[in-house]
Amino acid sequence: MSEDKTAAEQIDARIGALDDWRGSTLARVRAIIHAADPEVEETWKWRGVPVWEHAGIICTGETYKAAVKLTFAKGASLADPSGLFNSSLDGNVRRAIDIHEGEAIDAAALKALVLEAVAANLAKPAKSKK
């Protein structure tokens, strides 16, 4: 994808290129993230990974053949009362949600997790790049 496109345009293109359930799933989680945090910033990192940030990384949105993976940068420190985290559970920092074809997305629980991630970022902002 072209580097002269904005991150939002690149994410739009990624969603459009995924002409199966993964594209619609990525679009749905993107909408939920924006609904939870209207101030979220979209970035495009690591050669093609959608990233949502607010005072630091909230989560990434990777797509694989069998799953759409939302990896929360500080997931290990977040409460997950709804049990959304189902992947990368043994790490010290990150936690992920793997969404497979046909699985429902608990929008309210995902919104709560996004808001908690934003609060964690605001409590301890990311180190500024010099």
Side-chain angles (χ1 to χ4, degrees):
M1 291 189 192
S2 175
E3 292 300 318
D4 58 350
K5 289 185 177 180
T6 66
E9 290 169 336
Q10 290 175 311
I11 295 169
D12 288 342
R14 167 67 50 83
I15 289 168
L18 295 165
D19 60 355
D20 58 13
W21 65 272
R22 296 172 302 162
S24 58
T25 300
L26 187 59
R28 174 119 168 82
V29 297
R30 181 190 200 190
I32 293 168
I33 292 165
H34 278 274
D37 181 15
E39 295 178 26
V40 71
E41 178 186 349
E42 292 184 321
T43 58
W44 186 256
K45 297 185 179 189
W46 309 297
R47 295 187 184 150
V49 177
V51 180
W52 291 276
E53 300 186 49
H54 185 151
I57 294 174
I58 298 168
C59 67
T60 63
E62 301 156 86
T63 52
Y64 299 97
K65 187 173 186 175
V68 172
K69 179 185 282 288
L70 298 179
T71 302
F72 282 73
K74 296 179 181 176
S77 66
L78 304 178
D80 181 22
S82 298
L84 291 181
F85 290 132
N86 61 7
S87 182
S88 305
L89 300 176
D90 53 355
N92 292 330
V93 181
R94 292 181 292 281
R95 291 285 184 273
I97 303 166
D98 284 357
I99 305 165
H100 301 94
E101 186 173 8
E103 289 181 346
I105 299 168
D106 184 338
L110 182 54
K111 280 183 184 179
L113 208 53
V114 167
L115 290 173
E116 190 175 351
V118 170
N121 285 350
L122 290 171
K124 188 175 181 185
K127 295 176 183 169
S128 62
K129 295 177 184 174
K130 293 183 179 182

PDB file of all heavy atoms in Angstrom, residues 46 49-51 56-62 64 69-80 84-98 113 117 120-121:
ATOM      1  N   TRP A  46       4.503  -1.245  11.225  1.00  0.00           N
ATOM      2  CA  TRP A  46       5.074  -2.573  11.032  1.00  0.00           C
ATOM      3  C   TRP A  46       4.677  -3.204   9.701  1.00  0.00           C
ATOM      4  O   TRP A  46       4.231  -4.336   9.640  1.00  0.00           O
ATOM      5  CB  TRP A  46       4.729  -3.499  12.197  1.00  0.00           C
ATOM      6  CG  TRP A  46       5.055  -2.880  13.503  1.00  0.00           C
ATOM      7  CD1 TRP A  46       6.296  -2.507  13.948  1.00  0.00           C
ATOM      8  CD2 TRP A  46       4.136  -2.508  14.541  1.00  0.00           C
ATOM      9  NE1 TRP A  46       6.194  -1.942  15.195  1.00  0.00           N
ATOM     10  CE2 TRP A  46       4.880  -1.933  15.586  1.00  0.00           C
ATOM     11  CE3 TRP A  46       2.759  -2.612  14.688  1.00  0.00           C
ATOM     12  CZ2 TRP A  46       4.300  -1.466  16.752  1.00  0.00           C
ATOM     13  CZ3 TRP A  46       2.182  -2.154  15.847  1.00  0.00           C
ATOM     14  CH2 TRP A  46       2.947  -1.587  16.861  1.00  0.00           C
ATOM     15  N   VAL A  49       0.107  -2.950   9.666  1.00  0.00           N
ATOM     16  CA  VAL A  49      -0.760  -3.332  10.780  1.00  0.00           C
ATOM     17  C   VAL A  49      -1.540  -2.100  11.232  1.00  0.00           C
ATOM     18  O   VAL A  49      -0.947  -1.098  11.628  1.00  0.00           O
ATOM     19  CB  VAL A  49       0.056  -3.893  11.967  1.00  0.00           C
ATOM     20  CG1 VAL A  49      -0.855  -4.209  13.148  1.00  0.00           C
ATOM     21  CG2 VAL A  49       0.841  -5.129  11.547  1.00  0.00           C
ATOM     22  N   PRO A  50      -2.881  -2.181  11.201  1.00  0.00           N
ATOM     23  CA  PRO A  50      -3.682  -1.093  11.758  1.00  0.00           C
ATOM     24  C   PRO A  50      -3.463  -1.010  13.268  1.00  0.00           C
ATOM     25  O   PRO A  50      -3.458  -2.037  13.955  1.00  0.00           O
ATOM     26  CB  PRO A  50      -5.131  -1.507  11.459  1.00  0.00           C
ATOM     27  CG  PRO A  50      -5.028  -2.544  10.389  1.00  0.00           C
ATOM     28  CD  PRO A  50      -3.713  -3.225  10.599  1.00  0.00           C
ATOM     29  N   VAL A  51      -3.259   0.211  13.767  1.00  0.00           N
ATOM     30  CA  VAL A  51      -3.027   0.429  15.188  1.00  0.00           C
ATOM     31  C   VAL A  51      -3.918   1.575  15.645  1.00  0.00           C
ATOM     32  O   VAL A  51      -4.047   2.584  14.966  1.00  0.00           O
ATOM     33  CB  VAL A  51      -1.538   0.781  15.467  1.00  0.00           C
ATOM     34  CG1 VAL A  51      -1.287   1.000  16.947  1.00  0.00           C
ATOM     35  CG2 VAL A  51      -0.612  -0.300  14.916  1.00  0.00           C
ATOM     36  N   GLY A  56      -0.719   6.554  23.640  1.00  0.00           N
ATOM     37  CA  GLY A  56      -0.013   5.277  23.558  1.00  0.00           C
ATOM     38  C   GLY A  56      -0.881   4.284  22.808  1.00  0.00           C
ATOM     39  O   GLY A  56      -2.040   4.568  22.486  1.00  0.00           O
ATOM     40  N   ILE A  57      -0.337   3.129  22.540  1.00  0.00           N
ATOM     41  CA  ILE A  57      -1.087   2.124  21.785  1.00  0.00           C
ATOM     42  C   ILE A  57      -2.198   1.526  22.642  1.00  0.00           C
ATOM     43  O   ILE A  57      -1.965   1.115  23.780  1.00  0.00           O
ATOM     44  CB  ILE A  57      -0.151   1.010  21.276  1.00  0.00           C
ATOM     45  CG1 ILE A  57       0.832   1.570  20.241  1.00  0.00           C
ATOM     46  CG2 ILE A  57      -0.952  -0.154  20.675  1.00  0.00           C
ATOM     47  CD1 ILE A  57       1.887   0.573  19.775  1.00  0.00           C
ATOM     48  N   ILE A  58      -3.407   1.492  22.066  1.00  0.00           N
ATOM     49  CA  ILE A  58      -4.522   0.781  22.682  1.00  0.00           C
ATOM     50  C   ILE A  58      -4.444  -0.668  22.218  1.00  0.00           C
ATOM     51  O   ILE A  58      -4.300  -1.585  23.018  1.00  0.00           O
ATOM     52  CB  ILE A  58      -5.884   1.396  22.285  1.00  0.00           C
ATOM     53  CG1 ILE A  58      -5.994   2.840  22.756  1.00  0.00           C
ATOM     54  CG2 ILE A  58      -7.028   0.534  22.822  1.00  0.00           C
ATOM     55  CD1 ILE A  58      -7.173   3.599  22.172  1.00  0.00           C
ATOM     56  N   CYS A  59      -4.563  -0.848  20.898  1.00  0.00           N
ATOM     57  CA  CYS A  59      -4.495  -2.199  20.350  1.00  0.00           C
ATOM     58  C   CYS A  59      -4.152  -2.160  18.867  1.00  0.00           C
ATOM     59  O   CYS A  59      -4.245  -1.125  18.216  1.00  0.00           O
ATOM     60  CB  CYS A  59      -5.800  -2.960  20.569  1.00  0.00           C
ATOM     61  SG  CYS A  59      -7.221  -2.337  19.669  1.00  0.00           S
ATOM     62  N   THR A  60      -3.773  -3.338  18.362  1.00  0.00           N
ATOM     63  CA  THR A  60      -3.519  -3.524  16.940  1.00  0.00           C
ATOM     64  C   THR A  60      -4.626  -4.395  16.381  1.00  0.00           C
ATOM     65  O   THR A  60      -5.312  -5.105  17.117  1.00  0.00           O
ATOM     66  CB  THR A  60      -2.167  -4.221  16.703  1.00  0.00           C
ATOM     67  OG1 THR A  60      -2.213  -5.529  17.272  1.00  0.00           O
ATOM     68  CG2 THR A  60      -1.023  -3.435  17.306  1.00  0.00           C
ATOM     69  N   GLY A  61      -4.795  -4.368  15.066  1.00  0.00           N
ATOM     70  CA  GLY A  61      -5.807  -5.180  14.403  1.00  0.00           C
ATOM     71  C   GLY A  61      -5.209  -5.993  13.278  1.00  0.00           C
ATOM     72  O   GLY A  61      -5.214  -5.561  12.132  1.00  0.00           O
ATOM     73  N   GLU A  62      -4.663  -7.140  13.607  1.00  0.00           N
ATOM     74  CA  GLU A  62      -4.026  -7.997  12.607  1.00  0.00           C
ATOM     75  C   GLU A  62      -5.045  -8.966  12.017  1.00  0.00           C
ATOM     76  O   GLU A  62      -5.971  -9.381  12.701  1.00  0.00           O
ATOM     77  CB  GLU A  62      -2.883  -8.773  13.246  1.00  0.00           C
ATOM     78  CG  GLU A  62      -1.821  -7.863  13.839  1.00  0.00           C
ATOM     79  CD  GLU A  62      -1.037  -8.540  14.926  1.00  0.00           C
ATOM     80  OE1 GLU A  62      -0.053  -9.214  14.609  1.00  0.00           O
ATOM     81  OE2 GLU A  62      -1.431  -8.390  16.094  1.00  0.00           O
ATOM     82  N   TYR A  64      -5.419 -12.646  10.016  1.00  0.00           N
ATOM     83  CA  TYR A  64      -4.820 -13.916   9.637  1.00  0.00           C
ATOM     84  C   TYR A  64      -5.872 -14.743   8.913  1.00  0.00           C
ATOM     85  O   TYR A  64      -7.055 -14.381   8.904  1.00  0.00           O
ATOM     86  CB  TYR A  64      -4.310 -14.661  10.883  1.00  0.00           C
ATOM     87  CG  TYR A  64      -3.245 -13.893  11.614  1.00  0.00           C
ATOM     88  CD1 TYR A  64      -3.551 -13.105  12.716  1.00  0.00           C
ATOM     89  CD2 TYR A  64      -1.921 -13.927  11.187  1.00  0.00           C
ATOM     90  CE1 TYR A  64      -2.570 -12.382  13.380  1.00  0.00           C
ATOM     91  CE2 TYR A  64      -0.931 -13.216  11.846  1.00  0.00           C
ATOM     92  CZ  TYR A  64      -1.269 -12.444  12.947  1.00  0.00           C
ATOM     93  OH  TYR A  64      -0.296 -11.726  13.589  1.00  0.00           O
ATOM     94  N   LYS A  69      -7.145 -10.629  14.907  1.00  0.00           N
ATOM     95  CA  LYS A  69      -6.535 -10.571  16.235  1.00  0.00           C
ATOM     96  C   LYS A  69      -6.400  -9.128  16.681  1.00  0.00           C
ATOM     97  O   LYS A  69      -5.769  -8.323  16.009  1.00  0.00           O
ATOM     98  CB  LYS A  69      -5.158 -11.235  16.203  1.00  0.00           C
ATOM     99  CG  LYS A  69      -4.412 -11.211  17.552  1.00  0.00           C
ATOM    100  CD  LYS A  69      -3.012 -11.772  17.446  1.00  0.00           C
ATOM    101  CE  LYS A  69      -2.969 -13.261  17.400  1.00  0.00           C
ATOM    102  NZ  LYS A  69      -3.264 -13.964  18.638  1.00  0.00           N
ATOM    103  N   LEU A  70      -7.010  -8.820  17.817  1.00  0.00           N
ATOM    104  CA  LEU A  70      -6.832  -7.523  18.462  1.00  0.00           C
ATOM    105  C   LEU A  70      -5.858  -7.726  19.608  1.00  0.00           C
ATOM    106  O   LEU A  70      -6.181  -8.413  20.579  1.00  0.00           O
ATOM    107  CB  LEU A  70      -8.155  -6.994  19.011  1.00  0.00           C
ATOM    108  CG  LEU A  70      -9.264  -6.725  18.008  1.00  0.00           C
ATOM    109  CD1 LEU A  70     -10.509  -6.223  18.734  1.00  0.00           C
ATOM    110  CD2 LEU A  70      -8.823  -5.714  16.974  1.00  0.00           C
ATOM    111  N   THR A  71      -4.664  -7.143  19.491  1.00  0.00           N
ATOM    112  CA  THR A  71      -3.665  -7.280  20.540  1.00  0.00           C
ATOM    113  C   THR A  71      -3.601  -5.972  21.319  1.00  0.00           C
ATOM    114  O   THR A  71      -3.310  -4.915  20.761  1.00  0.00           O
ATOM    115  CB  THR A  71      -2.280  -7.613  19.952  1.00  0.00           C
ATOM    116  OG1 THR A  71      -2.383  -8.822  19.198  1.00  0.00           O
ATOM    117  CG2 THR A  71      -1.250  -7.795  21.059  1.00  0.00           C
ATOM    118  N   PHE A  72      -3.891  -6.063  22.611  1.00  0.00           N
ATOM    119  CA  PHE A  72      -3.876  -4.899  23.492  1.00  0.00           C
ATOM    120  C   PHE A  72      -2.485  -4.762  24.101  1.00  0.00           C
ATOM    121  O   PHE A  72      -1.994  -5.686  24.753  1.00  0.00           O
ATOM    122  CB  PHE A  72      -4.942  -5.032  24.581  1.00  0.00           C
ATOM    123  CG  PHE A  72      -6.327  -4.720  24.100  1.00  0.00           C
ATOM    124  CD1 PHE A  72      -7.002  -5.603  23.285  1.00  0.00           C
ATOM    125  CD2 PHE A  72      -6.938  -3.519  24.436  1.00  0.00           C
ATOM    126  CE1 PHE A  72      -8.278  -5.317  22.808  1.00  0.00           C
ATOM    127  CE2 PHE A  72      -8.211  -3.221  23.975  1.00  0.00           C
ATOM    128  CZ  PHE A  72      -8.883  -4.115  23.156  1.00  0.00           C
ATOM    129  N   ALA A  73      -1.866  -3.601  23.882  1.00  0.00           N
ATOM    130  CA  ALA A  73      -0.481  -3.378  24.278  1.00  0.00           C
ATOM    131  C   ALA A  73      -0.264  -3.573  25.780  1.00  0.00           C
ATOM    132  O   ALA A  73       0.758  -4.092  26.195  1.00  0.00           O
ATOM    133  CB  ALA A  73      -0.034  -1.978  23.865  1.00  0.00           C
ATOM    134  N   LYS A  74      -1.207  -3.164  26.585  1.00  0.00           N
ATOM    135  CA  LYS A  74      -1.090  -3.302  28.046  1.00  0.00           C
ATOM    136  C   LYS A  74      -2.153  -4.253  28.579  1.00  0.00           C
ATOM    137  O   LYS A  74      -2.617  -4.120  29.705  1.00  0.00           O
ATOM    138  CB  LYS A  74      -1.230  -1.927  28.708  1.00  0.00           C
ATOM    139  CG  LYS A  74      -0.132  -0.950  28.343  1.00  0.00           C
ATOM    140  CD  LYS A  74      -0.340   0.399  29.010  1.00  0.00           C
ATOM    141  CE  LYS A  74       0.759   1.374  28.613  1.00  0.00           C
ATOM    142  NZ  LYS A  74       0.526   2.712  29.179  1.00  0.00           N
ATOM    143  N   GLY A  75      -2.528  -5.225  27.765  1.00  0.00           N
ATOM    144  CA  GLY A  75      -3.638  -6.113  28.108  1.00  0.00           C
ATOM    145  C   GLY A  75      -3.497  -6.858  29.411  1.00  0.00           C
ATOM    146  O   GLY A  75      -4.481  -7.087  30.120  1.00  0.00           O
ATOM    147  N   ALA A  76      -2.271  -7.245  29.775  1.00  0.00           N
ATOM    148  CA  ALA A  76      -2.077  -8.011  31.010  1.00  0.00           C
ATOM    149  C   ALA A  76      -2.451  -7.210  32.249  1.00  0.00           C
ATOM    150  O   ALA A  76      -2.796  -7.781  33.275  1.00  0.00           O
ATOM    151  CB  ALA A  76      -0.632  -8.494  31.106  1.00  0.00           C
ATOM    152  N   SER A  77      -2.419  -5.883  32.140  1.00  0.00           N
ATOM    153  CA  SER A  77      -2.748  -5.043  33.297  1.00  0.00           C
ATOM    154  C   SER A  77      -4.211  -4.609  33.311  1.00  0.00           C
ATOM    155  O   SER A  77      -4.637  -3.915  34.237  1.00  0.00           O
ATOM    156  CB  SER A  77      -1.842  -3.805  33.313  1.00  0.00           C
ATOM    157  OG  SER A  77      -2.125  -2.973  32.197  1.00  0.00           O
ATOM    158  N   LEU A  78      -4.993  -5.027  32.313  1.00  0.00           N
ATOM    159  CA  LEU A  78      -6.388  -4.613  32.231  1.00  0.00           C
ATOM    160  C   LEU A  78      -7.305  -5.678  32.818  1.00  0.00           C
ATOM    161  O   LEU A  78      -7.092  -6.869  32.627  1.00  0.00           O
ATOM    162  CB  LEU A  78      -6.788  -4.379  30.769  1.00  0.00           C
ATOM    163  CG  LEU A  78      -5.954  -3.386  29.968  1.00  0.00           C
ATOM    164  CD1 LEU A  78      -6.457  -3.309  28.535  1.00  0.00           C
ATOM    165  CD2 LEU A  78      -5.957  -2.018  30.616  1.00  0.00           C
ATOM    166  N   ALA A  79      -8.340  -5.217  33.506  1.00  0.00           N
ATOM    167  CA  ALA A  79      -9.362  -6.143  33.977  1.00  0.00           C
ATOM    168  C   ALA A  79     -10.172  -6.592  32.765  1.00  0.00           C
ATOM    169  O   ALA A  79     -10.436  -5.805  31.863  1.00  0.00           O
ATOM    170  CB  ALA A  79     -10.268  -5.458  34.995  1.00  0.00           C
ATOM    171  N   ASP A  80     -10.540  -7.846  32.737  1.00  0.00           N
ATOM    172  CA  ASP A  80     -11.308  -8.399  31.612  1.00  0.00           C
ATOM    173  C   ASP A  80     -12.466  -9.225  32.168  1.00  0.00           C
ATOM    174  O   ASP A  80     -12.506 -10.444  32.030  1.00  0.00           O
ATOM    175  CB  ASP A  80     -10.383  -9.254  30.733  1.00  0.00           C
ATOM    176  CG  ASP A  80     -11.085  -9.861  29.528  1.00  0.00           C
ATOM    177  OD1 ASP A  80     -12.136  -9.327  29.112  1.00  0.00           O
ATOM    178  OD2 ASP A  80     -10.576 -10.873  29.016  1.00  0.00           O
ATOM    179  N   LEU A  84     -12.913 -11.519  27.379  1.00  0.00           N
ATOM    180  CA  LEU A  84     -12.663 -11.361  25.946  1.00  0.00           C
ATOM    181  C   LEU A  84     -11.288 -11.872  25.538  1.00  0.00           C
ATOM    182  O   LEU A  84     -11.128 -12.422  24.457  1.00  0.00           O
ATOM    183  CB  LEU A  84     -12.797  -9.890  25.533  1.00  0.00           C
ATOM    184  CG  LEU A  84     -14.189  -9.275  25.569  1.00  0.00           C
ATOM    185  CD1 LEU A  84     -14.130  -7.821  25.101  1.00  0.00           C
ATOM    186  CD2 LEU A  84     -15.160 -10.059  24.728  1.00  0.00           C
ATOM    187  N   PHE A  85     -10.295 -11.680  26.404  1.00  0.00           N
ATOM    188  CA  PHE A  85      -8.944 -12.122  26.043  1.00  0.00           C
ATOM    189  C   PHE A  85      -8.914 -13.644  25.954  1.00  0.00           C
ATOM    190  O   PHE A  85      -9.267 -14.350  26.893  1.00  0.00           O
ATOM    191  CB  PHE A  85      -7.910 -11.640  27.068  1.00  0.00           C
ATOM    192  CG  PHE A  85      -7.664 -10.155  27.041  1.00  0.00           C
ATOM    193  CD1 PHE A  85      -7.658  -9.421  28.212  1.00  0.00           C
ATOM    194  CD2 PHE A  85      -7.429  -9.481  25.853  1.00  0.00           C
ATOM    195  CE1 PHE A  85      -7.424  -8.052  28.202  1.00  0.00           C
ATOM    196  CE2 PHE A  85      -7.192  -8.116  25.827  1.00  0.00           C
ATOM    197  CZ  PHE A  85      -7.188  -7.398  27.010  1.00  0.00           C
ATOM    198  N   ASN A  86      -8.496 -14.140  24.794  1.00  0.00           N
ATOM    199  CA  ASN A  86      -8.450 -15.589  24.573  1.00  0.00           C
ATOM    200  C   ASN A  86      -7.163 -16.023  23.885  1.00  0.00           C
ATOM    201  O   ASN A  86      -7.045 -17.152  23.429  1.00  0.00           O
ATOM    202  CB  ASN A  86      -9.672 -16.050  23.773  1.00  0.00           C
ATOM    203  CG  ASN A  86      -9.752 -15.423  22.393  1.00  0.00           C
ATOM    204  OD1 ASN A  86      -8.838 -14.725  21.953  1.00  0.00           O
ATOM    205  ND2 ASN A  86     -10.846 -15.661  21.705  1.00  0.00           N
ATOM    206  N   SER A  87      -6.185 -15.106  23.807  1.00  0.00           N
ATOM    207  CA  SER A  87      -4.931 -15.407  23.121  1.00  0.00           C
ATOM    208  C   SER A  87      -3.799 -14.609  23.776  1.00  0.00           C
ATOM    209  O   SER A  87      -4.055 -13.571  24.387  1.00  0.00           O
ATOM    210  CB  SER A  87      -5.070 -15.033  21.646  1.00  0.00           C
ATOM    211  OG  SER A  87      -3.907 -15.348  20.929  1.00  0.00           O
ATOM    212  N   SER A  88      -2.576 -15.101  23.643  1.00  0.00           N
ATOM    213  CA  SER A  88      -1.403 -14.443  24.238  1.00  0.00           C
ATOM    214  C   SER A  88      -1.588 -14.254  25.739  1.00  0.00           C
ATOM    215  O   SER A  88      -1.229 -13.217  26.297  1.00  0.00           O
ATOM    216  CB  SER A  88      -1.128 -13.090  23.561  1.00  0.00           C
ATOM    217  OG  SER A  88      -0.998 -13.247  22.171  1.00  0.00           O
ATOM    218  N   LEU A  89      -2.132 -15.266  26.383  1.00  0.00           N
ATOM    219  CA  LEU A  89      -2.483 -15.148  27.798  1.00  0.00           C
ATOM    220  C   LEU A  89      -1.303 -15.346  28.744  1.00  0.00           C
ATOM    221  O   LEU A  89      -1.417 -15.048  29.926  1.00  0.00           O
ATOM    222  CB  LEU A  89      -3.592 -16.145  28.150  1.00  0.00           C
ATOM    223  CG  LEU A  89      -4.891 -15.967  27.368  1.00  0.00           C
ATOM    224  CD1 LEU A  89      -5.885 -17.070  27.745  1.00  0.00           C
ATOM    225  CD2 LEU A  89      -5.496 -14.602  27.604  1.00  0.00           C
ATOM    226  N   ASP A  90      -0.185 -15.848  28.234  1.00  0.00           N
ATOM    227  CA  ASP A  90       0.937 -16.130  29.119  1.00  0.00           C
ATOM    228  C   ASP A  90       2.007 -15.045  29.125  1.00  0.00           C
ATOM    229  O   ASP A  90       2.983 -15.152  29.847  1.00  0.00           O
ATOM    230  CB  ASP A  90       1.562 -17.484  28.773  1.00  0.00           C
ATOM    231  CG  ASP A  90       1.936 -17.590  27.300  1.00  0.00           C
ATOM    232  OD1 ASP A  90       1.621 -16.663  26.526  1.00  0.00           O
ATOM    233  OD2 ASP A  90       2.535 -18.608  26.912  1.00  0.00           O
ATOM    234  N   GLY A  91       1.799 -13.985  28.380  1.00  0.00           N
ATOM    235  CA  GLY A  91       2.771 -12.894  28.356  1.00  0.00           C
ATOM    236  C   GLY A  91       2.635 -11.994  29.568  1.00  0.00           C
ATOM    237  O   GLY A  91       1.625 -12.002  30.270  1.00  0.00           O
ATOM    238  N   ASN A  92       3.668 -11.193  29.814  1.00  0.00           N
ATOM    239  CA  ASN A  92       3.665 -10.287  30.958  1.00  0.00           C
ATOM    240  C   ASN A  92       3.027  -8.940  30.664  1.00  0.00           C
ATOM    241  O   ASN A  92       2.711  -8.207  31.586  1.00  0.00           O
ATOM    242  CB  ASN A  92       5.098 -10.055  31.442  1.00  0.00           C
ATOM    243  CG  ASN A  92       5.701 -11.299  32.041  1.00  0.00           C
ATOM    244  OD1 ASN A  92       4.991 -12.130  32.594  1.00  0.00           O
ATOM    245  ND2 ASN A  92       7.002 -11.442  31.910  1.00  0.00           N
ATOM    246  N   VAL A  93       2.859  -8.603  29.375  1.00  0.00           N
ATOM    247  CA  VAL A  93       2.391  -7.263  29.026  1.00  0.00           C
ATOM    248  C   VAL A  93       1.139  -7.307  28.151  1.00  0.00           C
ATOM    249  O   VAL A  93       0.109  -6.745  28.496  1.00  0.00           O
ATOM    250  CB  VAL A  93       3.505  -6.457  28.321  1.00  0.00           C
ATOM    251  CG1 VAL A  93       3.027  -5.052  27.970  1.00  0.00           C
ATOM    252  CG2 VAL A  93       4.748  -6.387  29.194  1.00  0.00           C
ATOM    253  N   ARG A  94       1.223  -7.959  27.008  1.00  0.00           N
ATOM    254  CA  ARG A  94       0.124  -7.946  26.029  1.00  0.00           C
ATOM    255  C   ARG A  94      -0.896  -9.054  26.291  1.00  0.00           C
ATOM    256  O   ARG A  94      -0.588 -10.079  26.888  1.00  0.00           O
ATOM    257  CB  ARG A  94       0.680  -8.097  24.612  1.00  0.00           C
ATOM    258  CG  ARG A  94       1.484  -6.916  24.150  1.00  0.00           C
ATOM    259  CD  ARG A  94       2.001  -7.092  22.732  1.00  0.00           C
ATOM    260  NE  ARG A  94       3.010  -8.129  22.617  1.00  0.00           N
ATOM    261  CZ  ARG A  94       4.281  -8.001  22.948  1.00  0.00           C
ATOM    262  NH1 ARG A  94       4.705  -6.851  23.444  1.00  0.00           N
ATOM    263  NH2 ARG A  94       5.134  -8.990  22.792  1.00  0.00           N
ATOM    264  N   ARG A  95      -2.096  -8.818  25.785  1.00  0.00           N
ATOM    265  CA  ARG A  95      -3.147  -9.830  25.731  1.00  0.00           C
ATOM    266  C   ARG A  95      -3.874  -9.613  24.411  1.00  0.00           C
ATOM    267  O   ARG A  95      -3.916  -8.496  23.892  1.00  0.00           O
ATOM    268  CB  ARG A  95      -4.168  -9.687  26.865  1.00  0.00           C
ATOM    269  CG  ARG A  95      -3.648 -10.010  28.240  1.00  0.00           C
ATOM    270  CD  ARG A  95      -3.487 -11.515  28.436  1.00  0.00           C
ATOM    271  NE  ARG A  95      -3.071 -11.832  29.790  1.00  0.00           N
ATOM    272  CZ  ARG A  95      -1.822 -11.876  30.219  1.00  0.00           C
ATOM    273  NH1 ARG A  95      -0.846 -11.590  29.390  1.00  0.00           N
ATOM    274  NH2 ARG A  95      -1.528 -12.190  31.453  1.00  0.00           N
ATOM    275  N   ALA A  96      -4.462 -10.670  23.873  1.00  0.00           N
ATOM    276  CA  ALA A  96      -5.123 -10.555  22.574  1.00  0.00           C
ATOM    277  C   ALA A  96      -6.493 -11.207  22.589  1.00  0.00           C
ATOM    278  O   ALA A  96      -6.793 -12.078  23.413  1.00  0.00           O
ATOM    279  CB  ALA A  96      -4.253 -11.182  21.491  1.00  0.00           C
ATOM    280  N   ILE A  97      -7.286 -10.771  21.621  1.00  0.00           N
ATOM    281  CA  ILE A  97      -8.600 -11.355  21.368  1.00  0.00           C
ATOM    282  C   ILE A  97      -8.560 -11.887  19.941  1.00  0.00           C
ATOM    283  O   ILE A  97      -8.371 -11.113  19.000  1.00  0.00           O
ATOM    284  CB  ILE A  97      -9.718 -10.294  21.485  1.00  0.00           C
ATOM    285  CG1 ILE A  97      -9.714  -9.628  22.859  1.00  0.00           C
ATOM    286  CG2 ILE A  97     -11.081 -10.927  21.179  1.00  0.00           C
ATOM    287  CD1 ILE A  97     -10.556  -8.363  22.929  1.00  0.00           C
ATOM    288  N   ASP A  98      -8.706 -13.179  19.791  1.00  0.00           N
ATOM    289  CA  ASP A  98      -8.822 -13.783  18.463  1.00  0.00           C
ATOM    290  C   ASP A  98     -10.297 -13.934  18.144  1.00  0.00           C
ATOM    291  O   ASP A  98     -11.029 -14.578  18.900  1.00  0.00           O
ATOM    292  CB  ASP A  98      -8.147 -15.163  18.419  1.00  0.00           C
ATOM    293  CG  ASP A  98      -6.633 -15.074  18.356  1.00  0.00           C
ATOM    294  OD1 ASP A  98      -6.089 -13.960  18.288  1.00  0.00           O
ATOM    295  OD2 ASP A  98      -5.988 -16.142  18.384  1.00  0.00           O
ATOM    296  N   LEU A 113     -13.248  -2.470  27.454  1.00  0.00           N
ATOM    297  CA  LEU A 113     -11.826  -2.802  27.414  1.00  0.00           C
ATOM    298  C   LEU A 113     -11.026  -1.675  26.765  1.00  0.00           C
ATOM    299  O   LEU A 113      -9.941  -1.311  27.246  1.00  0.00           O
ATOM    300  CB  LEU A 113     -11.644  -4.112  26.652  1.00  0.00           C
ATOM    301  CG  LEU A 113     -10.458  -4.988  26.998  1.00  0.00           C
ATOM    302  CD1 LEU A 113     -10.376  -5.294  28.480  1.00  0.00           C
ATOM    303  CD2 LEU A 113     -10.538  -6.278  26.201  1.00  0.00           C
ATOM    304  N   ALA A 117      -8.136   0.571  28.500  1.00  0.00           N
ATOM    305  CA  ALA A 117      -6.808   0.706  27.907  1.00  0.00           C
ATOM    306  C   ALA A 117      -6.423   2.179  27.768  1.00  0.00           C
ATOM    307  O   ALA A 117      -5.274   2.556  28.033  1.00  0.00           O
ATOM    308  CB  ALA A 117      -6.758   0.006  26.547  1.00  0.00           C
ATOM    309  N   ALA A 120      -5.508   3.468  31.167  1.00  0.00           N
ATOM    310  CA  ALA A 120      -4.169   2.995  31.548  1.00  0.00           C
ATOM    311  C   ALA A 120      -3.099   3.819  30.839  1.00  0.00           C
ATOM    312  O   ALA A 120      -2.077   4.180  31.445  1.00  0.00           O
ATOM    313  CB  ALA A 120      -4.020   1.514  31.214  1.00  0.00           C
ATOM    314  N   ASN A 121      -3.321   4.136  29.560  1.00  0.00           N
ATOM    315  CA  ASN A 121      -2.359   4.954  28.816  1.00  0.00           C
ATOM    316  C   ASN A 121      -2.269   6.366  29.394  1.00  0.00           C
ATOM    317  O   ASN A 121      -1.185   6.928  29.495  1.00  0.00           O
ATOM    318  CB  ASN A 121      -2.730   5.037  27.338  1.00  0.00           C
ATOM    319  CG  ASN A 121      -2.427   3.760  26.584  1.00  0.00           C
ATOM    320  OD1 ASN A 121      -1.777   2.853  27.092  1.00  0.00           O
ATOM    321  ND2 ASN A 121      -2.913   3.688  25.361  1.00  0.00           N
TER     322      ASN A 121
END
